[in-house]
Amino acid sequence: MSEPVFVRFWGTRGSIPTPGHKTRRYGGNTSCVEIRVGELLLICDGGTGLRELGLDLLARGRPNVEAHLFFSHMHWDHIQGFPFFVPAYSPANSLYVYELSPSDDRVQRLLHGQMRSEYFPVTFTDLGARIVGRHFENQRTEFGGVRVRSLQQTHPGISYAYAFEIGDRKIVYATDSELDLLLSDLEEPLRDPQALRRLPDSLVEFCRDADLLIADGQYTDEEYPQKKGWGHARANTVVDLAVQARAKRCAIFHHDPMHTDELVDHKIRAAEARLTHAGSACQVFGAREGLVLKID
Ligand SMILES: [Zn+2]
Ligand SMILES: [Zn+2]
């Protein structure tokens, strides 16, 4: 498959939507990323950004929507857009929802749960679209020329990263992961903030040579000590993962709800300086709503 891959960010905020003028540039919608190659549509997470993706899919004017949905985990900021995803209401459409193992029905069960009548006026079983459960086997699945691997992450209640290989392109989606708890020396970032933060080989291999690494970099180095154990990483630690994995581009994702656009800029400038210091050719940027990347 040699067609270009397009990645579009529909929601980049962590934890809770943050509409308002202070978050206008990076956006206030929660996690949702579209990966598109030709007719094939993959969706990572169903935060509030999924609502706008749904409206856009209708505006594209195709007779039906076929989408493959991958959920990192089921915290609110990753599922709340689903009941507002308009394509889920039409019988012409098919949604493939991926579970992490053959015996698992957790994703569909929890999507179902958040649409109980106490929470929402329409129930999951009333959705018109054909919703089909699919699953990973031994952390792998494959469809339409796309190979996908999953990796368990460190997060309250557990989350999963996904590595998508499409032809010779590789995109890794790794949000809600406290990388800083995986460091071989947990105290080193305090003693020597500039030292390369060593991450486990299994994680580095998972991200190896990614054309695009999208990863949770919610905090600055200064903020992290007060947020330890909350399940999110320092942006600078994500940079070090990108360096060790030799990723080409690195999107810092899942911005803190307390961060204004200026604070996200500050976090990204520190990340850029770190890459320069490391002598890496990787390009780091802050994921922002509406940004479209083309990966040839
Ligand atoms: Zn989250
Ligand atoms: Zn979470």
Side-chain angles (χ1 to χ4, degrees):
M1 203 186 286
S2 57
E3 286 173 279
V5 178
F6 292 92
V7 176
R8 181 161 179 169
F9 294 94
W10 291 95
T12 65
R13 188 64 52 178
S15 308
I16 190 165
T18 57
H21 65 279
K22 290 181 179 166
T23 55
R24 198 168 36 84
R25 277 189 292 117
Y26 288 97
N29 279 306
T30 56
S31 299
C32 182
V33 176
E34 172 190 5
I35 301 173
R36 188 164 48 79
V37 51
E39 299 289 297
L40 210 53
L41 170 66
L42 283 61
I43 300 173
C44 297
D45 277 334
T48 60
L50 182 64
R51 188 186 74 89
E52 298 222 22
L53 167 55
L55 297 175
D56 196 73
L57 289 172
L58 297 185
R60 290 176 202 175
R62 297 202 184 283
N64 55 6
V65 170
E66 224 177 78
H68 300 263
L69 277 79
F70 297 85
F71 289 87
S72 60
H73 63 318
M74 304 304 279
H75 283 165
W76 281 345
D77 53 323
H78 299 261
I79 62 169
Q80 276 183 329
F82 186 80
F84 299 89
F85 184 53
V86 179
Y89 290 80
S90 165
N93 300 332
S94 301
L95 306 180
Y96 301 100
V97 176
Y98 287 78
E99 305 280 354
L100 273 306
S101 75
S103 57
D104 204 359
D105 65 349
R106 195 165 170 269
V107 175
Q108 280 211 51
R109 198 161 32 79
L110 292 168
L111 288 175
H112 207 287
Q114 79 160 342
M115 294 179 76
R116 274 173 47 164
S117 61
E118 292 92 332
Y119 297 128
F120 197 74
V122 183
T123 63
F124 188 82
T125 40
D126 288 335
L127 291 172
R130 199 166 70 95
I131 299 177
V132 182
R134 291 213 173 153
H135 57 79
F136 284 76
E137 204 155 349
N138 299 323
Q139 293 87 49
R140 285 170 194 274
T141 189
E142 201 168 335
F143 56 90
V146 180
R147 292 181 305 281
V148 194
R149 282 184 295 145
S150 66
L151 182 76
Q152 189 175 313
Q153 304 184 117
T154 304
H155 191 67
I158 297 178
S159 65
Y160 290 86
Y162 298 107
F164 301 94
E165 287 176 53
I166 306 166
D168 57 359
R169 277 70 49 82
K170 180 172 175 181
I171 297 159
V172 176
Y173 179 75
T175 194
D176 293 61
S177 175
E178 191 163 350
L179 297 181
D180 296 277
L181 292 182
L182 302 176
L183 301 177
S184 48
D185 181 347
L186 294 178
E187 300 307 319
E188 193 180 40
L190 295 174
R191 280 197 318 274
D192 181 3
Q194 289 295 340
L196 184 77
R197 301 172 190 174
R198 296 256 168 228
L199 288 149
D201 291 345
S202 55
L203 173 63
V204 172
E205 274 315 307
F206 188 83
C207 301
R208 175 71 70 205
D209 296 325
D211 294 284
L212 175 64
L213 167 64
I214 303 167
D216 169 358
Q218 184 156 335
Y219 304 126
T220 63
D221 276 8
E222 299 76 35
E223 288 166 326
Y224 178 73
Q226 282 81 48
K227 317 278 182 178
K228 198 171 172 180
W230 291 23
H232 305 287
R234 295 165 167 111
N236 282 347
T237 307
V238 172
V239 166
D240 286 13
L241 172 60
V243 168
Q244 287 165 81
R246 295 194 295 268
K248 294 188 185 70
R249 287 193 263 188
C250 174
I252 302 292
F253 189 74
H254 206 272
H255 304 302
D256 192 274
M258 296 301 285
H259 283 181
T260 61
D261 287 330
E262 286 67 33
L263 282 170
V264 178
D265 285 342
H266 164 75
K267 181 175 76 173
I268 301 304
R269 276 196 299 272
E272 286 167 344
R274 193 167 178 88
L275 272 179
T276 307
H277 180 80
S280 166
C282 178
Q283 186 199 344
V284 67
F285 58 95
R288 74 180 158 73
E289 221 170 289
L291 178 66
V292 182
L293 300 175
K294 184 179 176 210
I295 299 170
D296 290 307

